[in-house]
């Protein structure tokens, strides 16, 4: 029998901060949207990402995330 303390679920292999997860999501979402047939405004996406990232960093500094 395998002891529970020696095993980890696959999704617990590495821990990312909220800022890292958001940055990774944005990178994948930007790539997905650029490859779609829809019109994509790269500048607007970057501005929105930077605004949200700045707010996440403030929340992290304040201990909320």
């Amino acid at each position: 029998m395998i002891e529970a303390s020696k095993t980890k679920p696959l999704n617990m292999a590495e821990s990312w901060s909220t800022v890292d997860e958001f940055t990774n999501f944005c990178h994948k979402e930007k790539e997905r949207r650029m490859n779609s047939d829809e019109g994509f405004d790269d500048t607007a996406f970057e501005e929105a990402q930077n605004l949200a990232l700045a707010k996440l960093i403030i929340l992290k500094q304040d201990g909320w995330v």
Side-chain angles (χ1 to χ4, degrees):
M1 186 166 133
I2 299 175
E3 294 180 31
S5 63
K6 292 185 179 181
T7 62
K8 271 190 195 176
L10 293 176
N11 62 350
M12 298 296 290
E14 66 182 275
S15 177
W16 288 21
S17 73
T18 304
V19 173
D20 291 337
E21 286 186 29
F22 178 74
T23 302
N24 185 46
F25 167 78
C26 286
H27 175 73
K28 290 179 181 179
E29 182 65 13
K30 181 179 178 182
E31 187 174 308
R32 184 188 71 79
R33 288 180 183 235
M34 288 175 68
N35 291 330
S36 73
D37 290 334
E38 302 171 8
F40 176 68
D41 186 350
D42 185 41
T43 304
F45 185 90
E46 290 288 330
E47 289 175 1
Q49 177 184 349
N50 290 337
L51 177 63
L53 190 57
K55 291 183 181 225
L56 277 174
I57 290 170
I58 290 169
L59 289 172
K60 183 177 179 179
Q61 290 170 345
D62 290 343
W64 289 98
V65 292

